């Protein structure tokens, strides 16, 4: 069949080029051990591949790299470009920067030795510099260019360079073995067969030049602030109009006052240019003079002032003053301000969209090593949004940094500025009702139970106070008290381990290894797996007994302890186990991988490195999996949890605007929870629909989006389809969103798919297995199966849309079955007639019931009247029918007729009821 389909196809060889863009978008480098990994594959074309193999011992290659240095290398050497072979050894070519701005180029020659030379380039700071490296056999030519001036350097190695770019991987910036530069990388071109003329212009030029301008302005702002600070401290500067303050000559002349001498180091033009900062610093003069204001506090105050000027009567209004204050805060190192500036420029949030400015502040924040800015840049590169190219290698470079910080942060997560992330959705009332606080009845009841000696209550209370869960603020001292009371009862091994851990680490209590060790032994004997890992740590770290440590780690790992697996991996990696004293990276990797599946942060970082480089034999490169692991790790960061907690507290206190700012900052990191809550606040604050749509859309891009966001975006696409020409593609997107919500277990998503299926739209193949349908099933069967699955996902004790729709479908199915049988069809018509009879007769019966008593009274009054007129009671046979007696008899006749009609109607209703009863019995038979 495949041959029949492809027999007339004209096959073409894929286009291959020896020119590779190693980097097309700017990369922020923090000067640490993180960078972009690139691997090169052999050519598919046999001629090109033959030429490449021949050039291994006689290479002809060219590298062109743009860099921008913010600081000198904080170590002796920093990486620009490096090549690591499959043995994890440096290979050709290695380009490094020294702490004095010189360049070292190292290569491996065909004799197997490594040779290097140093270029006295003295590269400048805050300049875009292009480095062009030509390698021809054993000759190396390096050109350095900045300010349109090129300097050339030539070096001849003693033997031909050995160069195989398919062996191992290349690193841009830092890696596990070398730190990178502190600055930015611009475009990088790699010519695998060399070139005489390099075409590598600064791109995107306007963005990178504007990035340079912003940094130059930050240098000016910093110098101005330092000068003002020094003047205030030394000269006690009271006001801008006192002697010695810079003023324009025209002001002096216009005011005809004595010209004052400017003693400050800044000029009037500088003061006028940064007037917003100048007035802000004036307001802080007293705090500067008394030493109460630090630079860290200054950048925080600038950020808070900027946020305070943005909101006007519940609407967001970002004026130029707000952005100026944020830019100043960013210049002073507050990269939350950089991230917020990027969010403002990317979104339509009180400001026109400007992707170029957004890119600039994204890069500035990432270069400042800010956790949230790193996650922000990584998230943009994962999804390829807001002008960022989709590049998983670049995403890994940012996430690996943020993941490493998260691994360090988790060791001190008990600190007050770190909280475990709690998934509270503002759009879900049940989540908000689940929150507790110190004055709540639930918390007081829990305390009462704990004080009465209830172990579970003591443990729960201690955990809430230690981690700050369910809306409770952290109270380490109280938490330790409850941990101790519960642990000393020696009944619960988990709480015994928790208290032993606190004793070992000295968190909130004086460090006591002896008592901690005894508790660990007791808890391990009672079955605590965590205690086994704790015993391994104690033997390995405190007693330096690696044999017993490895034994305990192995026992903990076999019983499912993620920390035990991680520690065992370290023993495999370092060869510390006396019984197997050699390095075993393969075993270490598998332990890291297993621990990462159980949520271990440090293990995830280590496993991701092996997956991103593919440097371990038997482990193929899988950057997507590495990035997915690291993103999940970063979203557990305690500082991110603290920001989410602050946002939630602001929302509960009614400060929705401040909550929105914090949720937006967290949303820009790619956290789906924050994106959903930011979209909800945009809706609650009546901000632009673009704000709601932006963050709802972003939240659907994650690996595990919340069903609410998927339903919102599905509704948006569905209703947009009726207003646009390209309606089919929009409906297709709506079906995709509803399908993802259905797969996440949302009954609403399932119901929406039912509606679209009834309209004739095809279901995705992924839905067939969920609803147990196939393309052979008829529409009624498909709809019924979908509704049954929907009802199963709903609350079984409530009447829901899916249950009502399912009842309607099944009723229609039963009625269609009845029409296929003559007797049942006749019964259906009789039932229909019965309904009509009941509709007509029931009102008549009610009318009869009201009229019969009145008619009976009239007849009796007529007969009584005739008797009173004659004065004597005469019967009809004797006197005949005369006068009033005739009227009484007439009324009695009418009464008898009405009684007959009522009896007839009762009989008709009874027959109709019997008919309907038979009909519904038949219907129920078909339903069941």
């Amino acid at each position: 069949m495949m041959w029949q389909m492809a027999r007339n196809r004209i096959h073409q060889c894929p286009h291959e080029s020896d020119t590779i863009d190693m980097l097309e978008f700017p990369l922020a480098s923090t000067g640490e051990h993180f960078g972009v990994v690139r691997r090169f594959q052999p050519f598919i074309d046999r001629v090109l591949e033959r030429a490449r193999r021949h050039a291994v011992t006689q290479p002809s290659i060219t590298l062109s790299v743009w860099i921008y240095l913010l600081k000198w290398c904080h170590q002796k050497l920093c990486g620009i470009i490096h090549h690591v072979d499959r043995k994890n050894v440096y290979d050709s070519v290695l380009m490094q920067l020294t702490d004095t701005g010189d360049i070292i180029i190292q290569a491996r020659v065909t004799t197997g030795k490594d040779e290097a030379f140093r270029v006295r380039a003295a590269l400048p700071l805050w300049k875009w510099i292009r480095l062009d490296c030509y390698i021809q056999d054993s000759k190396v030519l390096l050109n350095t260019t900045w300010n349109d001036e090129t300097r050339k350097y030539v070096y001849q190695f003693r033997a031909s360079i050995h160069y195989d770019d398919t062996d191992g991987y290349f690193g841009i910036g830092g890696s596990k073995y070398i730190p990178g530069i502190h600055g930015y990388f611009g475009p990088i071109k790699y010519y695998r067969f060399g070139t005489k003329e390099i075409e590598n212009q600064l791109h995107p030029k306007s963005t990178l030049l504007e990035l340079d301008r912003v940094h130059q302005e930050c240098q000016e702002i910093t110098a101005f602030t330092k000068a003002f600070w020094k003047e205030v401290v030394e000269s006690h500067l009271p006001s801008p109009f006192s002697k010695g303050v810079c003023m324009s000559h025209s002001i002096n002349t216009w005011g005809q006052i004595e010209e004052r001498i400017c003693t400050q180091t800044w000029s009037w033009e500088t003061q006028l240019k940064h007037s917003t900062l100048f007035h802000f610093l004036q307001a802080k003069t007293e705090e500067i003079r008394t030493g109460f204001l630090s630079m860290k506090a200054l950048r925080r105050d600038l950020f808070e002032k900027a946020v305070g000027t943005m909101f006007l009567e519940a609407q967001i209004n970002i004026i130029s003053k707000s952005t100026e204050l944020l830019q100043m805060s960013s210049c002073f190192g507050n990269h939350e301000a950089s991230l917020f500036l990027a969010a403002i420029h990317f979104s339509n949030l009180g400001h026109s969209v400007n992707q170029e400015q957004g890119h600039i502040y994204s890069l500035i924040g990432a270069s400042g090593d800010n956790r949230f800015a790193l996650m922000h840049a990584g998230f943009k590169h994962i999804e390829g949004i807001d002008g960022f190219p989709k590049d998983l290698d670049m995403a890994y470079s940012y996430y690996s940094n943020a993941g490493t910080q998260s691994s360090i942060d988790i060791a001190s997560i008990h600190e007050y500025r770190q909280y475990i992330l709690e998934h509270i959705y503002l759009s879900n009332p049940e989540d908000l009702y689940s929150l507790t606080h110190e004055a709540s009845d639930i918390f007081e009841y829990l305390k009462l139970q704990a004080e009465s000696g209830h172990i579970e209550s003591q443990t729960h209370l201690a955990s809430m106070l230690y981690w700050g869960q369910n809306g409770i603020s952290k109270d380490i001292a109280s938490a330790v008290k409850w941990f101790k009371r519960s642990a000393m009862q020696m009944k619960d091994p988990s709480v015994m381990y928790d208290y032993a851990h606190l004793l070992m680490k000295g968190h909130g209590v004086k460090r006591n290894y002896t008592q901690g060790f005894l508790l660990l032994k007791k808890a391990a004997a009672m079955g605590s797996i965590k205690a086994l890992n704790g015993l391994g740590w104690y033997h390995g770290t405190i007693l330096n007994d690696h044999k017993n440590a490895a034994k305990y780690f192995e026992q903990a790992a076999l019983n499912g302890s993620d920390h035990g697996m991680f520690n065992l991996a370290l023993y495999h990696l370092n060869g510390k186990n006396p019984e197997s004293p050699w390095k075993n990276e393969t075993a270490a990797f598998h332990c890291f991988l297993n621990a990462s599946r159980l949520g271990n942060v440090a293990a995830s970082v280590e496993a991701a490195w092996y997956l991103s480089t593919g440097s371990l034999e038997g482990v193929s490169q899988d950057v997507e999996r590495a990035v997915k692991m690291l993103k999940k790790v970063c979203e557990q960061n305690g500082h991110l949890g603290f920001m989410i907690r602050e946002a939630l507290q602001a929302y509960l206190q009614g400060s929705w605007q401040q909550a929105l700012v914090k949720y937006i900052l967290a949303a820009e990191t790619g956290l789906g929870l924050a994106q959903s809550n930011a979209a909800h606040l945009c809706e609650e604050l009546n901000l632009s629909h673009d704000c709601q749509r932006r963050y709802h859309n972003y939240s659907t891009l994650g690996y595990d989006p919340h069903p609410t966001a998927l339903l919102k975006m599905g509704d948006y696409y569905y209703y947009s389809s009726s207003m646009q020409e390209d309606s089919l593609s929009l409906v297709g997107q709506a079906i995709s969103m509803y399908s993802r919500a259905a797969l996440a277990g949302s009954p609403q998503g399932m119901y929406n798919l039912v509606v679209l299926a009834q309209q004739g739209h095809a279901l995705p193949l992924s839905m067939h297995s969920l609803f147990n349908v196939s393309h052979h099933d008829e529409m009624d069967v498909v709809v019924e199966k979908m509704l049954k699955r929907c009802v199963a996902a709903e609350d079984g004790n409530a009447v829901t849309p899916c249950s009502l729709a399912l009842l309607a479908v099944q009723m229609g199915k039963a009625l269609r079955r009845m029409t296929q049988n003559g007797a049942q069809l006749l019964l259906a018509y009789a039932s229909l007639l019965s309904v009509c009879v009941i509709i007509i007769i029931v009102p008549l019966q009610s009318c009869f019931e009201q009229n019969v008593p009145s008619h009976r009274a009239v007849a009796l009054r007529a007969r009584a009247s005739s008797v009173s007129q004659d004065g004597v009671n005469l019967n009809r046979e004797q006197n005949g029918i005369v006068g009033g007696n005739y009227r009484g008899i007439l009324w009695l006749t009418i009464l008898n007729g009405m009684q007959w009609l009522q009896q007839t109607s009762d009989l008709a209703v009874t027959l109709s009821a019997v008919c309907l009863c038979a009909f519904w019995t038949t219907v129920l038979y078909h339903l069941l």
Side-chain angles (χ1 to χ4, degrees), residues 654-809:
S655 301
W656 287 11
Q657 292 88 351
Q658 292 199 8
L660 176 63
V661 171
K662 293 185 181 298
Y663 274 126
I664 284 177
L665 286 171
E668 289 296 323
T669 67
L671 181 64
L673 165 71
Q675 290 163 347
S676 292
N677 287 346
H680 176 77
L681 282 173
C682 287
E683 186 176 354
E684 291 292 321
L685 293 170
N686 295 319
L687 300 181
S688 66
H689 290 289
D690 291 338
C691 175
Q692 303 172 36
R693 192 161 54 248
R694 171 185 174 83
Y695 289 112
H696 274 315
N697 184 39
Y698 280 2
S699 67
T700 64
L701 300 175
Y703 298 111
D704 188 21
H706 196 267
T708 303
L710 294 167
L711 294 172
K712 289 276 189 181
M713 288 308 299
D715 293 343
Y716 165 72
Y717 288 129
Y718 180 73
Y719 292 117
S720 298
S721 65
S722 61
M723 297 181 288
Q724 297 185 19
E725 295 180 0
D726 192 14
S727 60
L728 289 178
S729 63
L730 289 173
V731 172
Q733 289 179 295
I735 291 174
S736 174
M737 292 296 168
Y738 293 145
S739 299
R740 292 174 65 190
L743 288 170
S746 168
Q748 181 66 51
M750 298 177 191
Y751 181 78
N752 292 349
L753 285 175
V754 170
V755 173
L756 290 172
Q758 289 176 328
Q759 293 177 1
H761 297 288
L763 289 176
L765 293 176
S766 59
M767 293 294 99
H768 288 186
S769 59
L770 176 66
F771 298 118
N772 193 24
V773 299
S774 69
H775 62 279
H776 298 295
D777 292 335
E778 295 181 358
M779 180 54 65
D780 292 342
V781 176
V782 171
V783 169
E784 185 178 5
K785 287 183 176 180
M786 292 172 69
L787 287 171
K788 284 182 178 179
R789 181 68 180 82
C790 181
V791 170
E794 288 178 326
D795 184 4
N797 298 323
V799 177
T800 58
C802 286
S803 59
L804 291 174
L806 178 61
L807 179 61
V809 168

Side-chain angles (χ1 to χ4, degrees), residues 419-658:
Y419 276 82
I420 293 176
L421 181 66
E422 293 186 286
H423 290 268
I424 305 296
Y425 287 88
L426 303 182
S427 58
N428 189 358
E430 294 180 2
D431 287 355
L432 296 175
Y433 293 152
S434 68
L435 293 172
T436 317
H437 54 86
E438 287 82 349
S440 68
D441 293 337
I442 297 174
F443 186 74
E444 291 296 329
Y445 177 75
L446 194 63
K447 283 180 65 178
L448 184 64
Q449 288 288 95
E451 287 169 355
S452 66
H454 191 251
I455 296 178
E456 291 183 4
S457 297
Q458 291 174 347
T459 305
H460 190 193
L461 184 62
S463 180
M464 288 174 66
L465 290 169
Y466 188 80
W467 299 111
Q469 295 173 327
N470 295 93
I472 303 296
S473 299
K474 282 188 177 182
D475 188 347
I476 305 297
S478 298
V480 169
K481 180 188 75 172
W482 290 113
F483 273 129
K484 182 178 180 180
R485 285 185 60 175
S486 182
M488 289 299 103
Q489 297 183 47
M490 299 291 182
K491 294 181 180 179
D492 187 348
S494 62
V495 74
M496 290 164 63
Y497 165 77
D498 289 335
Y499 185 57
H501 177 80
L502 296 178
L503 289 170
M504 292 283 192
K505 297 292 185 181
H507 293 167
V509 66
K510 186 177 180 181
R511 196 188 301 269
N512 188 331
Y513 288 124
T514 303
Q515 188 180 7
F517 175 66
L518 293 175
L519 281 172
L520 283 177
K521 285 186 68 176
K522 181 71 174 177
M526 294 172 68
S528 172
I529 299 169
K530 291 182 178 180
L532 288 173
N533 176 70
L535 288 171
W537 177 86
Y538 180 78
H539 280 86
T541 306
I542 307 302
L543 302 180
N544 203 28
D545 180 4
H546 296 299
K547 182 177 180 179
N548 279 315
K551 181 186 70 175
Y552 281 117
F553 288 145
E554 190 168 355
Q555 289 179 14
L558 289 173
N559 284 281
S561 168
D562 61 305
H563 291 288
M565 292 177 189
F566 175 74
N567 290 324
L568 187 62
L570 293 180
Y571 268 56
H572 284 306
L573 199 61
N574 301 323
K576 282 187 176 181
N577 191 345
E579 294 184 358
S580 54
W582 55 81
K583 184 175 182 179
N584 189 339
E585 279 193 286
T586 302
F589 167 73
H590 288 294
C591 286
F592 285 138
L593 197 61
N594 290 331
S596 71
R597 291 193 183 105
L598 296 172
N600 190 283
V601 174
S604 298
V605 173
E606 295 295 332
W609 180 80
Y610 285 103
L611 291 170
S612 68
T613 59
S615 58
L616 186 63
E617 187 176 355
V619 178
S620 58
Q621 187 183 28
D622 192 345
V623 186
E624 183 177 3
R625 187 179 179 187
V627 169
K628 188 175 181 179
M629 290 168 59
L630 289 174
K631 185 176 187 294
K632 186 177 180 180
V633 160
C634 293
E635 290 175 355
Q636 299 173 23
N637 186 277
H639 292 280
L640 184 59
F642 178 74
M643 178 175 285
I644 292 296
R645 178 184 172 84
E646 282 193 314
L648 179 61
Q649 294 299 322
Y651 176 80
L652 295 174
Q653 293 167 10
S655 301
W656 287 11
Q657 292 88 351
Q658 292 199 8

Side-chain angles (χ1 to χ4, degrees), residues 103-106 115-119 140-142 153-155 157:
I103 295 174
I104 291 178
I105 295 180
Q106 177 179 313
E115 293 187 18
F117 67 95
R118 183 176 186 136
V119 175
V140 178
L141 169 64
L142 179 68
Y153 308 89
V154 181
Y155 184 82
F157 286 105

Side-chain angles (χ1 to χ4, degrees), residues 845-889:
Q845 280 187 326
S846 62
C847 186
F848 289 157
E849 290 173 358
Q850 294 176 3
N851 292 333
V852 164
S854 61
H855 291 324
R856 183 172 294 161
V858 170
L860 290 174
R861 283 197 302 270
R863 294 185 65 180
S865 175
S866 67
V867 171
S868 64
Q869 287 177 2
D870 294 338
V872 62
N873 189 12
L874 301 174
N875 57 35
R876 294 179 194 169
E877 290 81 0
Q878 294 175 344
N879 298 320
I881 301 175
V882 291
N885 193 30
Y886 172 79
R887 290 192 300 271
I889 292 171

Side-chain angles (χ1 to χ4, degrees), residues 247-263:
M247 297 180 62
S248 171
H249 177 72
S250 59
I251 293 178
N252 287 327
T253 305
W254 176 73
Q256 293 185 0
I257 59 178
E258 181 183 358
E259 184 173 355
R260 298 183 176 97
I261 300 172
C262 176
T263 60

